[in-house]
Amino acid sequence: MIGGPDLSGIIGVFSKNNKEVSKYIYYGLYALQHRGQASAGISINNNGFIDYEKNLGLVGDVFTKEVMERLKGDIAIGQVRYASYSEKNTKSNSEPLVVGYRKGALSICMDGAIENYETLREKFEESGHIFQTDLSVEVIASLIAKYHKDSLTYAIKMALDEVNGSYSLIIMTKDSLIAARDPHGIRPLSIGKVGDDFIISSETCAIECIGGEFIRDCDPGEIVIIDDNGIRSEKLQSKKRALCIFELVYLARPDSYIDNRYVYTSRFNTGEILYTEYPTKADVVIGAPDSGTVAAIGYAKKSQIPYTEGIIKNRYIGRTFIEPTQDIREEGVRIKLNPLTSNIKGKDLILVDDSIVRGTTIKRTVEMLRKAGAKSVHVRIASPPVKHSCFLGVDTPNEENLIANYMTVEEIRKAINADSLYFISLEGLVKAAGGENGFCKGCFTGDYPVKRSKSS
Ligand code: SF4
């Protein structure tokens, strides 16, 4: 499906008199790079004229010194994007999208996925509308243009009433910055300030990284409008809160704070609960870098088994353009991860990771640890078995490729060659995340907050 999952990091800044806000966006995008490495873009308002730069690649590749010197203005938005489908991964499918309509120009970017994208797009196409991209936000921009007679806020409300899915949006006009979060609050969105300037960001880590201060989360179903008159908000129809619990397990940075909970604390708690639910004796606890590290520290604290580094990750790899051949893979060339033999040889290990999806990575990791001399490898997973695919913004494979969908836990243990395997319970994960029942847990239960049509 084109217009499918678009996991992204988004950020916007509004200033009354600072013409250098592109620098905030630039550093903010660096802080959000973990949410998407396929493309990066910034659009900026300079006295009513919207300039932009976007391309495939990492933030450091796309924005040269010359580009940054050109991007001047006092309102700006930016996005780093994951791009789940290769056909979508083109420069024109990068965001922010800049569009012109009868009221002028606006720029828009989104984190999330629109479930009824194809239906909405088909309706427009049947009436002769031509789309320039495969982006979900182009449909949202077209809806806004369709409804925009008087107030832009009214048009956004009307447009979002037609949209079904998960979305955190940032929109820039010639004189305002507008943010919106879907009625369930599936993707995060936070509001902050740096000096007198306002910031909207997917995660608080970007606000802090540019020297700003977090104010509050954008509420589910809230539209926040920032302009020369200050900040105000309007409400969409609100629905049952359902933050994607995977944000806490894996997606968000551990130094972020989402909907009144620290991501680090949630991950640490999963490690403690993993030990409480299934205590195991071992010599050391190691984490799969980086996603299992915090849970491994929690496991070590609760179990009193020493935590140690067991696998070293090469942090200087951007994207590798030359895929290793099967021969190279089989020879065990380890470009990204290498075991720390001195810490694991002859030892009974607890290996903690955030999740098992296809099972291929954990299998390779266990094999690598055994080759390095581990006496036993006990795998502990800080999320329940992933049995269902996600259509709300996270690029999980089809269900038939999810190992937990077609194997029991014992069969998975054998397939990955672990001495033992345990997944945290769903109750344990929810407790670790703060205990309140305000989450989407669809990939574990098949029960999603948003109704799924046959086409998605
Ligand atoms: S289905 Fe899973 S990954 Fe998708 S939004 Fe829900 S919890 Fe997150």
Side-chain angles (χ1 to χ4, degrees), residues 18-36:
N18 175 0
K19 286 283 177 195
E20 302 287 337
V21 296
S22 60
K23 289 191 182 133
Y24 287 145
I25 301 287
Y26 174 78
Y27 290 115
L29 290 179
Y30 257 112
L32 296 173
Q33 189 80 82
H34 60 287
R35 295 186 76 85

Side-chain angles (χ1 to χ4, degrees), residues 186-187 244-246 389-392 394 440-443 448:
I186 296 170
R187 297 282 141 236
C244 166
I245 205 162
F246 240 99
S389 57
C390 175
F391 62 97
L392 296 171
V394 179
C440 173
K441 298 165 280 200
C443 44
Y448 305 91

Side-chain angles (χ1 to χ4, degrees), residues 146-432:
K146 176 179 152 189
Y147 288 115
H148 196 173
K149 293 193 179 68
D150 301 310
S151 140
L152 179 60
T153 319
Y154 169 80
I156 293 173
K157 267 184 162 175
M158 292 295 288
L160 295 181
D161 265 353
E162 290 198 26
V163 168
N164 188 34
S166 72
Y167 55 82
S168 283
L169 283 171
I170 307 183
I171 300 167
M172 175 178 72
T173 70
K174 64 181 181 3
D175 51 17
S176 64
L177 184 72
I178 298 167
R181 195 171 172 200
D182 74 72
H184 294 285
I186 296 170
R187 297 282 141 236
L189 197 61
S190 48
I191 306 168
K193 273 193 108 174
V194 51
D196 292 331
D197 304 337
F198 284 98
I199 314 164
I200 304 285
S201 169
S202 291
E203 292 185 36
T204 57
C205 64
I207 296 174
E208 289 175 354
C209 285
I210 59 176
E213 188 188 333
F214 168 67
I215 301 174
R216 66 174 178 89
D217 291 293
C218 181
D219 283 332
E222 183 180 12
I223 301 175
V224 175
I225 305 114
I226 303 166
D227 58 20
D228 279 347
N229 298 317
I231 181 166
R232 65 185 186 282
S233 69
E234 300 213 6
K235 280 274 174 194
L236 295 164
Q237 190 196 358
S238 60
K239 296 185 179 162
K240 196 172 168 220
R241 198 179 261 272
L243 173 71
C244 166
I245 205 162
F246 240 99
E247 291 281 352
L248 302 172
V249 169
Y250 170 73
L251 300 174
R253 247 172 66 156
D255 52 339
S256 284
Y257 181 77
I258 302 176
D259 289 350
N260 300 319
R261 45 180 78 77
Y262 290 101
V263 176
Y264 185 95
T265 308
S266 302
R267 282 185 201 162
F268 185 91
N269 293 345
T270 58
E272 290 202 320
I273 292 170
L274 268 171
Y275 180 75
T276 309
E277 288 186 351
Y278 197 81
T280 308
K281 285 188 181 155
D283 297 319
V284 287
V285 181
I286 66 171
D290 291 320
S291 51
T293 305
V294 181
I297 294 170
Y299 192 102
K301 165 99 188 306
K302 192 75 183 173
S303 64
Q304 300 289 303
I305 301 169
Y307 168 80
T308 188
E309 281 197 77
I311 301 165
I312 298 299
K313 183 175 182 177
N314 184 339
R315 291 175 201 286
Y316 302 99
I317 295 179
R319 288 185 305 156
T320 41
F321 291 100
I322 302 168
E323 280 293 309
T325 60
Q326 193 57 26
D327 285 356
I328 288 182
R329 242 187 243 124
E330 279 166 14
E331 275 170 30
V333 175
R334 294 186 290 256
I335 304 162
K336 289 189 180 167
L337 299 174
N338 203 33
L340 197 53
T341 305
S342 59
N343 284 1
I344 57 181
K345 195 171 181 183
K347 303 223 167 102
D348 293 313
L349 306 180
I350 301 282
L351 168 66
V352 184
D353 204 354
D354 63 291
S355 56
I356 295 183
V357 180
R358 285 188 173 87
T360 42
T361 309
I362 193 81
K363 186 178 175 193
R364 245 183 266 141
T365 308
V366 173
E367 189 187 333
M368 183 174 81
L369 294 170
R370 288 197 186 284
K371 273 192 187 160
K375 203 159 110 200
S376 64
V377 184
H378 301 272
V379 176
R380 300 292 174 265
I381 303 298
S383 60
V386 175
K387 294 187 175 182
H388 307 274
S389 57
C390 175
F391 62 97
L392 296 171
V394 179
D395 184 29
T396 47
N398 292 336
E399 289 189 358
E400 58 268 26
N401 295 318
L402 297 169
I403 192 168
N405 189 40
Y406 60 89
M407 279 191 187
T408 63
V409 173
E410 175 56 15
E411 285 168 343
I412 299 172
R413 183 196 68 74
K414 282 189 188 148
I416 66 173
N417 195 22
D419 291 274
S420 70
L421 169 66
Y422 183 75
F423 293 84
I424 196 171
S425 67
L426 187 57
E427 298 70 37
L429 175 60
V430 170
K431 190 174 166 202

Side-chain angles (χ1 to χ4, degrees), residues 120-137:
L120 291 169
R121 181 170 169 139
E122 268 166 31
K123 265 196 214 163
F124 273 113
E125 285 176 333
E126 274 162 20
S127 62
H129 191 104
I130 294 169
F131 283 89
Q132 309 285 334
T133 72
D134 297 325
L135 297 169
S136 306
V137 279

